[in-house]
Amino acid sequence: MDQSLKTTCLHDDHIALGAKMSPFAGFDMPIQYSGIIQEHNAVRTAAGMFDVSHMGEIFVDGPDAEAFVNHIFTNDVRQLAPGGILYGMMCYPDGGTVDDLLVYKEFESGFLLVVNASNIEKDYKWLLDNAGGFEVEVFNDSESWGQIALQGPKSEDALVKLLGLEELRELEFYTFYDLEDEEGGRVIVSRTGYTGEDGFEIYASPDNIRDMWASLLEDGITPCGLGCRDTLRFEAGLPLYGDELSPEISPVMAGLSMFCKFDKPEFIGKEALMKQKEEGVARKIVGIEIKDNAIPRAGYPVETEDGTQVGVVTTGYHSISLDKSICFALVDSAYGALGTPLWIRIRKRVFPGEVIKKRFYKTNYKK
Amino acid sequence: MSRIIEGLLYSESHEWVKVEGDLAIIGVSDFAQAEMGDITYVDLPSEGDEVAAGEEFGALESVKASSELYCPVSGTVEAVNAELEDAPEKVNEDAYAAWIIKVRMSDPSELESLMDAAAYAKIAE
């Protein structure tokens, strides 16, 4: 292993399980244990668990916490009840994306921002740089927390068994409970995830997370790597920062304007995003299906029939759950309408396809 | 630990070659299939295609990545294993039984630059 890589609190457990490890966002992370297809299917049909301890936890508190979060966040936290969660983005003034994140409204005061591992330092600096004029404290507490994502139709049963709390069944989608471990340490359980299935994300101290991982393993929950985390989120139509969102790809271009609340008085990027929404964008993220088993990969050209390049694949797979070759692609908006024929160049050949809805897989959230 | 079979020749890009007269039967090594994980697609050339030593003739795709196949010898593709189109997992099940193409060699002396099992064992670790 490259010694400059960081490790999560579960690193030894991954090695002991024989995981295939690879660098991701500066961490040495498990890509797969038994195999991506088996792990993917475990989440779709039963339950799987992911080490997502690399994700960032940034706390915002103080008298102006709500105003500050609403200033840097595209969604609107004003109507959010304590224990509620919102998905949205932080944007640059030009509408480009700093990161996509979850915002948890704390029961006492303040907010927890859960951000992508690859962006922790950048986001923290962005928050500090934009906190001028607000009476807030911004604290990057990422190293104090481990995190497990428990996902799949059987995850509710597994969670109740793990924590011994029947009340967890009542937890609603995009809300969280605050619990305490035996030593008085904080445990956060939210009904959220990144797979398109019902599921939970558990935040706790590294020691506690290791104990929970061991208990879940003993309970027969399938350990799942980042390989199937990507195939699952992709099928569910969810973007990955760096692929479908970036400084060059705004939430409007990514088809995520429902998470931008233009009726807020202001937020960073509002004017640019509103203009994109009203006047249309030059390029947008679409779904494309090709009628062949060849696999469109990130970077492959998207072309018209005469061979003119009009876009590029951002993520693509032969979908495990749907058994067809599909991808997200960033294309010229003129070619973005559903049903538009497009061709994808894969090595020496071009394969015909057409634009389809991005939510490839029918999600099974518990609402 | 991956399997390496005596009597086959191997390339640095992890293809194996079984020689029958001037026919080269080509597949990928057990090491290569293990590195790739679940193989979901095999991109095959057409029978009659001309191939050159060191050039790409197709690809294996796993869930996560694609891996180009390089031809260890020059010649004409005499047969392709069409069974792999519907059952690419056969490469994972037994990489030495799942041949990919058969090439009628135009220059069998190219075989001299390939490795034997002992030499290949040193790079497939």
Side-chain angles (χ1 to χ4, degrees):
Chain A
M1 181 190 127
D2 177 351
Q3 293 303 316
S4 68
L5 289 174
K6 289 186 275 189
T7 56
T8 72
C9 55
L10 293 169
H11 190 263
D12 290 350
D13 304 78
H14 304 318
I15 303 297
L17 285 165
K20 207 170 262 187
M21 305 294 289
S22 184
F24 178 83
F27 287 81
D28 190 41
M29 295 298 288
I31 299 305
Q32 63 173 68
Y33 304 84
S34 52
I36 294 177
I37 294 173
Q38 192 189 329
E39 292 164 29
H40 178 108
N41 289 331
V43 172
R44 288 272 182 260
T45 60
M49 57 178 178
F50 300 81
D51 175 14
V52 283
S53 302
H54 59 314
M55 299 290 284
E57 290 83 12
I58 299 175
F59 289 86
V60 176
D61 205 351
D64 293 336
E66 182 177 290
F68 174 64
V69 171
N70 249 8
H71 173 60
I72 54 89
F73 191 46
T74 58
N75 212 328
D76 190 351
V77 296
R78 286 177 303 180
Q79 305 304 320
L80 190 60
I85 303 166
L86 282 177
Y87 172 73
M89 298 85 207
M90 297 195 286
C91 287
Y92 295 103
D94 70 359
T97 313
V98 179
D99 202 1
D100 63 335
L101 65 156
L102 293 180
V103 171
Y104 290 58
K105 184 175 166 109
E106 297 271 32
F107 289 94
E108 298 285 320
S109 70
F111 297 86
L112 162 61
L113 281 50
V114 180
V115 305
N116 284 299
S118 53
N119 290 334
I120 296 172
E121 296 305 321
K122 179 184 80 174
D123 291 356
Y124 185 51
K125 184 169 188 304
W126 179 254
L127 291 166
L128 294 178
D129 288 350
N130 286 284
F134 293 94
E135 203 178 320
V136 287
E137 295 148 30
V138 180
F139 181 53
N140 175 13
D141 201 27
S142 303
E143 306 221 332
S144 308
W145 295 84
Q147 190 193 344
I148 295 171
L150 177 59
Q151 302 279 298
K154 294 188 177 165
S155 56
E156 183 184 288
D157 289 341
L159 182 77
V160 166
K161 191 171 169 192
L162 174 73
L163 298 174
L165 277 176
E166 280 293 326
E167 299 94 300
L168 288 164
R169 296 190 192 279
E170 308 305 318
L171 192 57
E172 289 175 13
F173 191 53
Y174 268 69
T175 66
F176 69 97
Y177 285 163
D178 235 338
L179 308 171
E180 257 185 28
D181 63 27
E182 284 160 9
E183 285 83 44
R186 192 174 175 197
V187 178
I188 301 169
V189 180
S190 61
R191 199 157 206 151
T192 49
Y194 194 45
T195 60
E197 299 298 333
D198 184 25
F200 301 86
E201 290 175 303
I202 309 165
Y203 306 75
S205 71
D207 283 348
N208 205 340
I209 286 292
R210 285 200 68 176
D211 290 345
M212 289 192 223
W213 180 270
S215 299
L216 289 167
L217 200 60
E218 208 165 290
D219 194 29
I221 305 302
T222 305
C224 295
L226 294 184
C228 78
R229 185 166 161 83
D230 202 53
T231 57
L232 289 159
R233 70 91 191 166
F234 165 74
E235 286 182 352
L238 302 170
L240 172 65
Y241 189 87
D243 289 348
E244 286 82 31
L245 286 169
S246 71
E248 288 74 41
I249 307 175
S250 75
V252 175
M253 292 167 71
L256 301 169
S257 25
M258 73 265 244
F259 301 106
C260 302
K261 300 302 178 194
F262 297 119
D263 55 354
K264 288 205 297 187
E266 69 87 33
F267 60 89
I268 302 174
K270 179 182 170 183
E271 279 176 31
L273 292 168
M274 265 183 94
K275 190 156 178 275
Q276 289 182 4
K277 178 78 180 160
E278 281 160 12
E279 296 177 7
V281 288
R283 295 180 302 158
K284 61 192 268 194
I285 299 283
V286 299
I288 301 173
E289 175 181 355
I290 59 169
K291 301 288 180 205
D292 193 278
N293 286 332
I295 304 171
R297 304 281 183 190
Y300 288 2
V302 178
E303 301 178 351
T304 58
E305 189 168 18
D306 66 6
T308 309
Q309 185 173 351
V310 293
V312 64
V313 174
T314 57
T315 305
Y317 286 106
H318 189 82
S319 163
I320 296 167
S321 298
L322 304 168
D323 190 25
K324 54 189 188 184
S325 287
I326 46 182
C327 65
F328 291 143
L330 182 63
V331 303
D332 294 352
S333 295
Y335 301 92
L338 292 181
T340 305
L342 284 173
W343 282 255
I344 297 178
R345 183 168 293 278
I346 301 176
R347 289 179 292 276
K348 290 169 187 163
R349 288 189 281 166
V350 285
F351 293 87
E354 69 169 90
V355 177
I356 63 167
K357 284 185 181 165
K358 279 196 303 255
R359 185 163 291 189
F360 305 117
Y361 173 82
K362 191 183 166 296
T363 54
N364 298 306
Y365 302 126
K366 184 159 177 182
K367 291 191 178 176
Chain B
M1 193 60 205
S2 62
R3 282 193 307 136
I4 297 171
I5 296 202
E6 292 289 337
L8 301 180
L9 296 170
Y10 296 87
S11 70
E12 285 179 10
S13 47
H14 305 286
E15 289 83 14
W16 57 259
V17 179
K18 184 179 180 190
V19 182
E20 287 181 357
D22 63 351
L23 197 65
I25 304 167
I26 297 163
V28 297
S29 72
D30 189 46
F31 175 81
Q33 71 76 22
E35 282 290 295
M36 287 205 67
D38 299 325
I39 291 165
T40 57
Y41 181 74
V42 183
D43 190 354
L44 297 166
S46 303
E47 286 172 12
D49 281 1
E50 296 290 323
V51 288
E55 283 190 8
E56 197 182 315
F57 71 88
L60 297 180
E61 305 248 25
S62 68
V63 176
K64 199 73 196 144
S66 66
S67 175
E68 279 73 33
L69 295 165
Y70 295 95
C71 207
V73 292
S74 306
T76 308
V77 177
E78 180 137 318
V80 301
N81 188 354
E83 198 186 5
L84 299 179
E85 287 176 351
D86 293 323
E89 67 277 6
K90 285 185 181 293
V91 178
N92 292 119
E93 288 163 8
D94 186 348
Y96 298 108
W99 61 276
I100 297 171
I101 57 169
K102 296 182 182 180
V103 173
R104 186 70 62 188
M105 289 182 279
S106 55
D107 181 6
S109 74
E110 287 170 344
L111 294 169
E112 290 163 21
S113 63
L114 299 174
M115 289 172 274
D116 63 11
Y120 181 64
K122 286 178 191 152
I123 70 160
E125 283 174 347

